[in-house]
Amino acid sequence: MKATENSLAQSARAFSKLSTQPIIEAYDLYFDSGYLKFQAIMEEIKALDPSISRIQIVNMDGIIVYDTEDFSIENIQQVDSATLDIVTGSKVTEIPQKYDRDRLDKI
């Protein structure tokens, strides 16, 4: 049992070391301007290690700005405005449309 726990912890540490830079680059490039692209990248990164069930991005103030559990493609329409306020830093009255349906194939 202890060997399995150690192996899982070692795998998670290796995953975090290798994925941190690509995750932050994707967040900086796509979170605000191309959310669907960002989400696709996050799903690809998460899929690299089946033992990883959740990825969170936490800013320097300790605020979670992204959580794969809360912001999965399936759940994005159900996010409450208080959560979006934290992520966007502004008052949100509705979930913004992050893409143009006519240009979806170009994302």
Side-chain angles (χ1 to χ4, degrees):
M1 179 85 167
K2 188 71 171 172
T4 303
E5 289 176 14
N6 287 340
S7 176
L8 185 58
Q10 186 175 13
S11 175
R13 280 191 294 275
F15 178 83
S16 69
K17 285 182 181 181
L18 294 172
S19 63
T20 299
Q21 188 68 31
I23 288 172
I24 297 307
E25 286 175 1
Y27 181 84
D28 286 343
L29 287 172
Y30 300 114
F31 188 79
D32 289 328
S33 63
Y35 184 80
L36 290 180
K37 177 71 172 175
F38 171 74
Q39 185 62 33
I41 291 169
M42 291 302 295
E43 292 297 328
E44 288 174 11
I45 291 171
K46 193 171 113 181
L48 293 173
D49 187 341
S51 66
I52 302 296
S53 60
R54 185 179 196 176
I55 298 172
Q56 292 181 322
I57 299 174
V58 181
N59 71 13
M60 297 300 287
D61 295 322
I63 297 172
I64 298 169
V65 295
Y66 175 80
D67 186 334
T68 54
E69 193 169 281
D70 294 334
F71 291 95
S72 66
I73 291 173
E74 297 83 28
N75 293 338
I76 191 62
Q77 296 301 321
Q78 299 171 9
V79 176
D80 65 12
S81 63
T83 302
L84 285 174
D85 288 348
I86 292 169
V87 174
T88 63
S90 62
K91 183 77 173 151
V92 177
T93 56
E94 63 183 27
I95 296 174
Q97 193 75 11
K98 291 285 186 182
Y99 62 93
D100 179 358
R101 289 185 187 275
D102 296 331
R103 298 181 57 215
L104 190 57
D105 61 322
K106 296 178 184 177
I107 294 177

